[in-house]
Amino acid sequence: MAKKRAGKPVRPTTQAKAKVKTKVETKAKVKSVRRATKRTARAKKYVYFFGGGKADGDRSMRDALGGKGAGLAAMTNAGLPVPPGFTISTDVCSLYYANKGHTPATVETEIAGHVKKLERAAGATLGSTKNPLLVSVRSGSKFSMPGMMDTILNLGLNDAAVERLKARTSNGRFAFDSYRRFVQMFGSVVLEISKAVFEHEFEAVKHERGVSLDADLDEQALRDVVVRYKRVVRSATRRDFPQEPHEQLAMARDAVFRSWMNPRAQEYRRIYDIPDHIGTAVNVQMMVFGNSGDRSATGVGFTRNPATGAKEFYGEFLINAQGEDVVAGIRTPQPITELKQVMPKAYAQLRDITSRLERNYKDVQDFEFTIEDERLFMLQTRNGKRTGYAAVVIATDLVAERLITQKEAVLQVDPESLSQLLAPGFDPAEWNAIPVVTTGLPASPGAASGQAVFTAEDAVKRSDEGTPVILVRRETAPDDIAGMFVAQGILTATGGMTSHAAVVGRQMGKPSVVGASEIEIDEDAKWCSIGGQTVREGDFVSFDGLTGHVKLAQVASKPSEILQVMSGELKAAKSDISRRFMQILTWSDKYRRMGVRANADQPDQAELAYAFGGRGIGLCRTEHMFFGEGRIPIVQRMILADTEADRRAALAELLPLQREDFYGVFKAMHGEPVTIRMIDPPLHEFLPKREELMVDLAKLEAKGVTGDALEQKLVLLRRVEQLHEFNPMLGHRGVRLGITYPEITEMQTRAIIEAACQLAKEGGKVTPEIMIPLVGHVKELRNQKVIVDRVAKAVMKERGVKVKYLVGTMIEVPRGAMTADQIAGEAQFFSFGTNDLTQLMLGFSRDDIGKFLRVYQDKKILDKDPFATFDVEGVGPVVRTAVELGRGARPGIKLGICGEHGGDPASIHFFESVGLNYVSCSPYRVPVARLAAAQAALAVKGGD
Ligand code: ADP
Ligand code: MG
Ligand code: MG
């Protein structure tokens, strides 16, 4: 199975910060790596030892050592029991790629020195027949990628060493179990032979011996497995299984580097915005054996519950097992609390160590351990991934326990957690009325309902068609990640709370129920049976990720507890999570510099935004109001009018309706500024589609209808054809409408100012900000401003009230941005319309990008969708320029952003760095933006 790689990856060094990278930096790094390669790179340290209570590295070195390597170094330095080993730094991964898939000879020498050092520490020698050293080879990048890269265990075994291991331990079963695992892992990971081929042989031996459990195979059977595996390797690679441990080690190391670019690792990085260029480290570590008998075990755990955040010791273990057995879902593991009975001393030590780790890292730890003959070894620790719910609970608890400060809590919570908390649940009444068909482990909370699919591909296919799906699998594997991403929820039959499905589900904030063992699945035939009922692809399945209950029905979901508190349905005092949610936001506000506004056109949206802490409206799209009840015919009459007089008549009818809209929105914002954008879209959007009209006409004609009805349709069709544009987005829209039909600007201004006057008279407060869209030339703005000021003055005179208002513009046409100094001469504020700006800067239609975006991402031409995450490198300089020009011409000019990027944390980071006054986003994103803006302010202040 040859590895396919799309293009050559860029491999700069790794000191890179995750967030925002520019091409310039990347190029410089590639150069420096090349230079380093040529110069033979002697000066630099590439390999870091850990063992005997001392490590070369430390916990701050995640860039070079990866998360796992840094954790191993930190635990070693803290005097914890960690098997000795060394970490080959991420720089070597870059060198490997820059060097066309070879590790430079100088690094090889440095590694050889560390092997010697490890041999001394372990008291065993790699390749020795007397006392062979066995190691694990483990990948580990800066950001943990669960299950993405494969670990190789028991490396160093060969035909001679396995006999030594047997003799030394007097346990032939154990020795050959270790060997067969090694050959299989090495075969699949390094030699790239399909796992299924090995599994087939394994099953064949089990079948021959008439056993069903792996553990029931005796030494002789396992010897047979090894013979078969070696035959598999020989026929697949045309050479014998490599017996030389140094060669095994070099091959495994390079395979780890290669696995960095495997498709599932790339997919994972794409979803989680992890840059491709940072590379992975390789950890080589002395083996300890959890599979050496009944006084041995292996396990994983968390210092707090990662699903609910509750402060409880949490995890699973398996007696007489190795490595991935716990998470692979082959045997069902025991809850970690049971370890207390089985091995009380090791348990007590584990609790003690892990709570120390939590205190040191000031965060929940996700740890891996192995017990060999009742001796505990720590193999990994890292900050635990958690659900959004748990993130909020844990951060607020840690503050209450005085383990972290409020500021640290603000930095700890991923802003997306807050949006997970606003995710819907089921209506309890409806949900409770449906019988439970089975119960699995509640791995990740949230209500999920959709049609059952049994493969990741089907999940993607159906959800592309707009169908909500539930991915039902025996267990999930990293290959399933694309399907998991699009599914409403993930349901598996095997595996525990730390299985792949559980870990990934929690991280994605995806409702997940795992280990629902009563489900029998035939993934190939695409059906399963649950509690005696057959579920086929397309049948509805629903589950609650907080209780683990699974039901066969389509169930509508319900707003989150927090939304219920917001709407007053639930008393705030009754909701613990809502109190914590508010706490995080209140703390955020202390560190936030930018304001957060909302994009809202309706009073109820404005109310919600205000309740979420939105202070002001950054974008009120007036045209949305035109679609309100009974308004479209009036709008159409305005558009169809042949004369100005007719148009004015229609506008006069719209006036009171718009005034009412504005009044409602102003009131809902409690005196905070409201930015109202004048009509923006091309007018044809308000008329029926040409094709539809033609069909209607054909129908009327077929029925023999004549006269007025037919005539009206014909007129409409003619007008639609007149308005037809080849590029409506570049056509007659935005300020161009106001210039050609000044009466529209007049009516909208009148509605705004009348509403403001009315509110002012009632003692209310409001500051309307009238925003002219799509300005590219200062004269366009000047033209409209004259109208706005004239009408405003007239209205205030009529009403006998004075209100304060501002006139400004959207900066969304590149020419407008580049002449922002001139425009600022007229504009009292700018709001960056980054949707249009992105569209016009990249020349990508935001409505058509879907056709090629995915290909662009697959081919690594674009990392991210530029409409979702602001293109700092390409569009950023234009925003920066406009900010500087605008402030130069009008110091104190108000600057904001109202494009979709206003709710995206990475984009918010950029807006903070250019010093905008506020971001504006959809009401539901307001909490996310408040937290993200606080984090950005702290990062920018801290020199990030
Ligand atoms: P992942 O990144 O997927 O968690 P790891 O490198 O942590 O992979 O390895 C997976 C498991 O392999 C560990 O949790 C541990 O059980 C086992 N393992 C790794 N190294 C050793 C070792 N030196 N001795 C014993 N078991 C090991
Ligand atoms: Mg691990
Ligand atoms: Mg626009």
Side-chain angles (χ1 to χ4, degrees):
M1 195 176 69
K3 279 241 156 119
K4 282 196 208 97
R5 257 177 253 127
K8 201 165 294 145
V10 179
R11 314 265 110 214
T13 57
T14 55
Q15 311 311 339
K17 288 258 163 65
K19 292 269 159 63
V20 176
K21 287 270 92 219
T22 68
K23 272 256 163 59
V24 188
E25 276 174 282
T26 308
K27 268 192 203 140
K29 291 234 166 86
V30 172
K31 268 197 195 147
S32 89
V33 167
R34 295 228 176 92
R35 241 180 281 129
T37 328
K38 275 194 193 137
R39 200 191 326 118
T40 65
R42 198 168 294 125
K44 205 166 166 183
K45 186 170 170 64
Y46 287 110
V47 188
Y48 295 78
F49 193 78
F50 56 88
K54 228 183 99 20
D56 295 344
D58 62 49
R59 129 183 185 195
S60 70
M61 296 174 65
R62 293 179 58 218
D63 282 332
L65 303 182
K68 200 179 284 166
L72 289 167
M75 289 196 293
T76 303
N77 283 330
L80 303 184
V82 176
F86 56 85
T87 304
I88 304 170
S89 81
T90 54
D91 290 341
V92 181
C93 185
S94 308
L95 290 173
Y96 175 85
Y97 281 98
N99 228 3
K100 303 201 169 67
H102 293 285
T103 301
T106 44
V107 180
E108 294 267 16
T109 312
E110 198 180 335
I111 293 171
H114 280 77
V115 170
K116 288 257 159 345
K117 197 167 171 185
L118 175 57
E119 288 173 344
R120 282 194 295 276
T125 309
L126 198 63
S128 147
T129 40
K130 274 201 230 107
N131 191 12
L133 170 67
L134 303 187
V135 295
S136 63
V137 177
R138 319 170 64 189
S139 60
S141 75
K142 177 172 181 184
F143 304 102
S144 85
M145 294 162 53
M148 289 277 114
M149 323 264 291
D150 293 307
T151 295
I152 296 161
L153 301 177
N154 312 328
L155 186 141
L157 279 177
N158 54 27
D159 295 348
V162 69
E163 298 295 349
R164 261 321 288 161
L165 186 61
K166 172 182 171 180
R168 184 166 64 79
T169 59
S170 319
N171 188 343
R173 195 202 167 272
F174 154 68
F176 280 88
D177 184 51
S178 303
Y179 195 22
R180 66 98 189 163
R181 287 172 189 266
F182 171 51
V183 178
Q184 168 167 359
M185 281 184 263
F186 194 90
S188 64
V189 178
V190 181
L191 305 173
E192 300 182 3
I193 301 166
S194 156
K195 277 190 183 130
V197 184
F198 291 108
E199 261 150 38
H200 179 80
E201 297 296 331
F202 197 64
E203 290 306 316
V205 173
K206 280 197 338 199
H207 187 78
E208 258 174 30
R209 313 267 156 162
V211 304
S212 63
L213 292 176
D214 297 9
D216 292 339
L217 291 176
D218 61 11
E219 177 187 340
Q220 203 44 52
L222 291 165
R223 279 179 185 268
D224 186 18
V225 171
V226 170
V227 169
R228 284 165 176 261
Y229 279 5
K230 288 204 296 196
R231 215 180 289 143
V232 165
V233 168
R234 186 164 176 81
S235 81
T237 65
R238 307 197 170 278
R239 57 165 284 196
D240 285 327
F241 184 80
Q243 292 283 316
E244 213 302 290
H246 290 91
E247 186 192 359
Q248 292 173 354
L249 181 58
M251 289 173 78
R253 171 201 65 209
D254 290 352
V256 170
F257 291 147
R258 280 201 305 278
S259 75
W260 176 253
M261 291 307 284
N262 78 31
R264 49 182 220 220
Q266 294 195 44
E267 176 80 9
Y268 187 90
R269 289 199 293 274
R270 197 179 63 74
I271 293 175
Y272 287 102
D273 272 357
I274 298 173
D276 275 342
H277 64 76
I278 61 172
T280 179
V282 181
N283 299 286
V284 177
Q285 188 177 27
M286 186 189 91
M287 282 303 299
V288 289
F289 297 98
N291 57 335
S292 68
D294 286 344
R295 288 162 56 233
S296 300
T298 183
V300 298
F302 287 83
T303 51
R304 293 173 198 238
N305 186 319
T308 64
K311 193 178 178 183
E312 62 198 19
F313 200 54
Y314 182 93
E316 287 156 338
F317 73 103
L318 273 174
I319 296 280
N320 197 6
Q322 188 174 57
E324 306 282 70
D325 292 3
V326 180
V327 288
I330 300 164
R331 268 159 69 191
T332 300
Q334 290 170 259
I336 203 159
T337 42
E338 288 175 16
L339 186 63
K340 197 174 179 176
Q341 277 90 56
V342 199
M343 296 179 213
K345 261 176 72 188
Y347 177 81
Q349 194 190 359
L350 182 65
R351 283 225 59 167
D352 176 55
I353 286 176
T354 54
S355 30
R356 263 170 65 196
L357 286 171
E358 186 183 90
R359 277 198 303 278
N360 284 340
Y361 280 93
K362 299 177 166 203
D363 200 354
V364 175
Q365 294 302 294
D366 166 0
F367 53 85
E368 298 174 11
F369 64 96
T370 282
I371 298 169
E372 179 177 338
D373 296 332
E374 301 208 8
R375 244 182 97 190
L376 173 71
F377 293 93
M378 297 304 296
L379 292 173
Q380 192 171 339
T381 193
R382 61 182 162 202
N383 293 345
K385 298 190 190 305
R386 64 208 76 175
T387 60
Y389 191 97
V392 169
V393 170
I394 289 166
T396 45
D397 273 355
L398 291 179
V399 171
E401 292 164 28
R402 297 183 181 280
L403 215 55
I404 61 174
T405 61
Q406 293 177 1
K407 190 194 215 168
E408 284 166 329
V410 165
L411 288 168
Q412 189 184 80
V413 177
D414 175 356
E416 294 297 341
S417 307
L418 302 184
S419 87
Q420 279 179 34
L421 275 180
L422 302 175
F426 294 127
D427 173 67
E430 189 188 356
W431 181 243
N432 293 337
I434 304 165
V436 177
V437 286
T438 191
T439 302
L441 302 173
S444 177
S449 184
Q451 297 182 2
V453 289
F454 298 95
T455 68
E457 296 81 68
D458 289 332
V460 171
K461 205 172 82 208
R462 285 209 179 216
S463 72
D464 275 352
E465 292 161 4
T467 310
V469 298
I470 301 287
L471 180 60
V472 186
R473 301 281 288 164
R474 201 168 298 132
E475 63 201 36
T476 61
D479 294 337
D480 293 327
I481 195 135
M484 298 168 81
F485 190 60
V486 297
Q488 303 297 307
I490 301 154
L491 176 60
T492 70
T494 63
M497 292 292 270
T498 46
S499 64
H500 182 266
V503 171
V504 175
R506 275 196 295 273
Q507 194 189 347
M508 285 181 173
K510 188 105 355 188
S512 307
V513 169
V514 301
S517 51
E518 290 166 5
I519 305 184
E520 280 171 38
I521 305 179
D522 186 334
E523 285 169 0
D524 296 326
K526 302 189 178 182
W527 63 276
C528 71
S529 98
I530 310 181
Q533 299 189 55
T534 302
V535 178
R536 288 178 210 290
E537 187 180 85
D539 290 351
F540 277 95
V541 175
S542 301
F543 65 76
D544 178 348
L546 206 57
T547 60
H549 292 165
V550 180
K551 306 185 177 187
L552 299 183
Q554 183 180 13
V555 188
S557 44
K558 191 173 186 304
S560 79
E561 203 170 298
I562 288 159
L563 286 177
Q564 292 181 49
V565 172
M566 297 266 146
S567 67
E569 273 168 68
L570 187 71
K571 281 223 179 69
K574 283 219 166 124
S575 172
D576 176 61
I577 190 66
S578 134
R579 178 184 60 79
R580 293 170 185 269
F581 181 87
M582 292 307 170
Q583 224 164 22
I584 295 286
L585 288 175
T586 315
W587 296 338
S588 301
D589 291 346
K590 286 203 230 167
Y591 302 103
R592 176 156 68 86
R593 183 193 59 82
M594 286 192 291
V596 175
R597 297 193 188 184
N599 297 347
D601 331 309
Q602 308 283 337
D604 57 341
Q605 291 172 3
E607 285 288 5
L608 181 69
Y610 191 85
F612 277 142
R615 290 295 172 262
I617 288 186
L619 177 62
C620 174
R621 298 175 170 94
T622 50
E623 60 272 11
H624 285 183
M625 300 168 167
F626 289 173
F627 289 102
E629 183 87 36
R631 296 180 182 187
I632 263 294
I634 313 176
V635 175
Q636 290 183 351
R637 231 178 296 136
M638 167 189 87
I639 296 171
L640 293 175
D642 288 323
T643 63
E644 190 187 319
D646 284 352
R647 195 158 39 245
R648 282 190 183 278
L651 284 166
E653 275 184 77
L654 277 176
L655 174 70
L657 303 172
Q658 285 245 287
R659 184 175 56 219
E660 225 175 277
D661 295 330
F662 295 141
Y663 177 81
V665 172
F666 291 159
K667 211 162 172 175
M669 259 303 137
H670 307 274
E672 300 291 342
V674 175
T675 306
I676 296 165
R677 180 177 69 183
M678 295 304 201
I679 187 168
D680 183 60
L683 295 181
H684 74 82
E685 285 190 11
F686 302 102
L687 298 180
K689 294 223 163 26
R690 181 166 175 267
E691 295 68 31
E692 285 166 18
L693 280 171
M694 308 231 298
V695 171
D696 288 353
L697 271 169
K699 278 190 195 153
L700 289 178
E701 273 167 1
K703 277 195 215 147
V705 178
T706 51
D708 261 8
L710 189 70
E711 197 51 36
Q712 267 174 16
K713 285 266 176 207
L714 278 169
V715 170
L716 198 55
L717 179 62
R718 228 172 294 135
R719 191 78 177 120
V720 166
E721 279 171 346
Q722 270 172 9
L723 287 173
H724 171 79
E725 291 176 313
F726 289 104
N727 281 316
M729 276 294 141
L730 300 177
H732 195 182
R733 56 173 285 228
V735 66
R736 301 156 205 174
L737 288 170
I739 287 173
T740 44
Y741 304 120
E743 51 280 8
I744 299 181
T745 308
E746 286 174 16
M747 181 281 282
Q748 292 201 299
T749 306
R750 179 166 277 279
I752 294 167
I753 303 296
E754 282 182 1
C757 288
Q758 184 182 335
L759 195 68
K761 264 194 187 158
E762 293 163 9
K765 199 185 144 232
V766 66
T767 316
E769 301 179 344
I770 298 175
M771 179 157 76
I772 312 296
L774 222 68
V775 167
H777 200 295
V778 64
K779 287 182 189 166
E780 290 173 313
L781 179 60
R782 203 170 285 147
N783 169 293
Q784 293 293 288
K785 194 168 179 230
V786 168
I787 300 173
V788 171
D789 285 340
R790 172 170 47 78
V791 174
K793 200 168 161 197
V795 172
M796 289 191 274
K797 197 164 167 209
E798 285 164 25
R799 300 284 160 129
V801 206
K802 262 204 139 69
V803 292
K804 204 173 154 255
Y805 68 94
L806 303 180
V807 182
T809 183
M810 241 164 139
I811 297 289
E812 54 187 338
V813 173
R815 192 187 190 285
M818 302 316 280
T819 58
D821 47 348
Q822 294 173 32
I823 291 177
E826 298 290 332
Q828 292 167 291
F829 65 89
F830 289 168
S831 176
F832 287 94
T834 53
N835 299 347
D836 265 312
L837 188 59
T838 300
Q839 170 164 272
L840 292 169
M841 286 294 297
L842 280 90
F844 287 165
S845 157
R846 57 177 136 148
D847 303 308
D848 298 319
I849 191 177
K851 295 201 180 108
F852 54 86
L853 177 64
R854 192 55 206 245
V855 178
Y856 265 52
Q857 290 183 321
D858 287 347
K859 299 201 178 205
K860 306 272 164 203
I861 291 166
L862 279 184
D863 272 353
K864 297 169 201 160
D865 175 353
F867 292 103
T869 296
F870 184 72
D871 175 8
V872 170
E873 187 181 301
V875 188
V878 180
V879 168
R880 209 179 274 277
T881 302
V883 166
E884 281 161 15
L885 291 175
R887 288 223 165 105
R890 187 191 286 264
I893 187 171
K894 217 190 243 193
L895 303 173
I897 134 96
C898 63
E900 280 310 298
H901 304 108
D904 171 61
S907 311
I908 289 173
H909 196 92
F910 170 76
F911 301 131
E912 171 70 29
S913 75
V914 291
L916 297 193
N917 299 93
Y918 68 85
V919 295
S920 188
C921 56
S922 89
Y924 286 94
R925 299 292 296 180
V926 165
V928 174
R930 280 166 76 187
L931 177 53
Q935 292 180 350
L938 289 168
V940 168
K941 241 212 229 131
D944 183 30

